[in-house]
Amino acid sequence: MAFAIIPPGVLPGARRSSHGATDPCRRQGGGGGGGGGGGGGGGGGGGGRLGCRGGTTFSNPRERVASPPHLSKSGAAADVYGRWPSDAPPLVTAAVTAATDGVPVRRRVGPSRPSVAAATAVAGLLAGGVLAGGPSVPPAAAFSPEQKLLAEVWRIVDDSYVDRTFNGQDWFKIRTRAVKTQYANQEAGYAAIRKMLDSLKDPYTRFLTPSQYNSLTSAASGSVAGVGVTFFPARVDGELVIAAPVDGSPAARAGVQPGDVLLEIDGEDLSGLSPDDAAARIRGTPRSEVSLTITHPGPPSSLVRLDLVREELKLPSVVAELVSRPPAAPAADEETTLRAAVPIGLIRVKGFTSSTAEDVGKAVADLRSRGAKAWVVDLRNNPGGYFPGGVDVARLFLPIDTPIVYVVDRHGVVDEIDTIRQPAVPITDRVAVLVNRATASASEILAGALKENGRAVLVGERTFGKGVVQTVSPLSDGSGVAVTIARYETPGHKDINKKGIDVDVGVDCAADAAALACVPESVL
């Protein structure tokens, strides 16, 4: 999954510097809000504020704010987020943002928002009015379903997109042109939405058809019907590269390997599709067939066609076991001998869903009861997923009041997310984190937090480098839109997007090699 998803609910441990000791958020710098996290250790679901923003919540996630926004000590307007009804999808949220017209915002990115007069004019257009001297826009009642959906997507992006220059475009002009166009059918409307979002040049901000939206939310909750392949979060050198097959899945049984390149699905070329688009096409009804054309990495390169049958897959995100190093020749020193004798808790995290942190917590408790005194956290081929999952797993290892990640919103305001309780793993226990070039997104949050707080040694290869966060918002016709709302920085304030995290100990380790064999004895 290519998203670091922020669900509804408050993400504990995020702090701010404005007003109050009672608010669990600490703001670094001034400005309006935007990023944030949600949910706790096992949890997606229900309502609540998104992230650590002050202000009002609404029963309608798209309700606009009529009253002036809450002001922080810096004089900046704090953003306001929507509340989902209790039966809403667990890992999806829509952000509703208060206007900051006329309010000074420090470290704002890009041009300021429209003035109050301009905002009034926009409201008039949305209500079906016509501005003197401006472009003629049909009354709202005359909008076709396709035009209304396009305007809905435009508004969500306008409210929350991280780049306030919208890739250097006049974003309102794009909307005006789009809603004046007549669309022959739903697919033509969808194509126009994709074109509008493509203009942002952001691979993670994209439109989701109803089937893609349902597939994404199902995968985020850990249950899906498919053949069991996971992809890198974005194309690698223009290719759709498979990060790993799911253990025991049809793809794994057919010989799909980490690093394979997917070329066709059911004989159709995949040019222009994102990894999530490809994953959505592969998913389907259990017992239905799908054909994948792939190439294996390395010479000689040859095409392989695999005819597979989809299955219901429960995606186990955590596998844990107690291991120890095999007996070897007598060590040169007593310390190495003692290290080799220490039982090691090996925890492999394959992805982050709403239950991952709870599952890791249970694994830690079980392994400690069996004598684990050192730890290997295996994040190889982990593409990320549920943003709070990475945060809450980090909390199991880090001392209280330790920074985990900084979330930087669209106005440059920084929210610090900290640990909020004592760790489950004693701070005297040694920890190694195993990563590779397919370690991305939420797994990079975890790896960066443990590395930069001096809590773990990072072993393997430089990570992928996905340092942005998305929300996934449902649309009125059952489709959805994913929007990049923030970027994040490591505890050392490093922006890892498109750069990755460097390891402490470089190891060339095959993706399917035993984890303990990849960790040098000098580390554990």
Side-chain angles (χ1 to χ4, degrees), residues 433-447:
V433 177
L434 193 57
V435 297
N436 65 5
R437 68 191 188 105
T439 300
S441 196
S443 57
E444 289 177 292
I445 291 174
L446 172 57

Side-chain angles (χ1 to χ4, degrees), residues 27-32 72 74 76 105-108 411-414:
R27 282 283 176 84
Q28 310 255 328
S72 68
S74 66
V105 178
R106 293 183 295 166
R107 295 201 299 164
R108 183 169 228 163
H411 298 310
V413 176
V414 181

Side-chain angles (χ1 to χ4, degrees), residues 8 45-46 84-85 87-93 213 217 474:
W84 281 105
D87 60 348
L91 299 178
V92 184
T93 187
Y213 173 78
T217 54

Side-chain angles (χ1 to χ4, degrees), residues 310-399:
R310 297 180 177 98
E311 297 178 0
E312 285 281 1
L313 300 172
K314 181 64 180 175
L315 306 178
S317 65
V318 178
V319 176
E321 60 179 320
L322 190 69
V323 298
S324 59
R325 294 194 182 277
D333 58 82
E334 183 178 355
E335 181 182 356
T336 305
T337 301
L338 290 174
R339 284 190 178 189
V342 170
I344 298 171
L346 173 59
I347 300 176
R348 182 182 178 193
V349 185
K350 302 178 181 180
F352 289 95
T353 70
S354 57
S355 65
T356 300
E358 181 180 1
D359 293 342
V360 173
K362 289 178 180 177
V364 166
D366 175 65
L367 293 170
R368 285 194 66 200
S369 72
R370 294 161 56 192
K373 297 293 183 182
W375 305 85
V376 174
V377 181
D378 187 356
L379 300 178
R380 289 174 297 169
N381 302 320
N382 182 328
Y386 184 69
F387 180 95
V391 169
D392 285 334
V393 172
R395 287 180 172 141
L396 298 172
F397 291 87
L398 292 169

Side-chain angles (χ1 to χ4, degrees), residues 222-299:
S223 179
V224 69
V227 299
V229 293
T230 61
F231 295 94
F232 278 69
R235 283 178 173 260
V236 178
D237 297 328
E239 305 283 4
L240 288 169
V241 181
I242 294 172
V246 175
D247 292 343
S249 66
R253 296 195 298 268
V256 173
Q257 304 168 16
D260 284 353
V261 175
L262 179 65
L263 301 176
E264 296 179 348
I265 301 174
D266 289 331
E268 294 185 9
D269 182 75
L270 305 179
S271 299
L273 291 189
S274 71
D276 283 296
D277 293 332
R281 284 198 183 185
I282 293 172
R283 298 179 190 125
T285 307
R287 294 183 294 279
S288 62
E289 296 184 355
V290 62
S291 172
L292 305 183
T293 302
I294 64 173
T295 60
H296 294 306

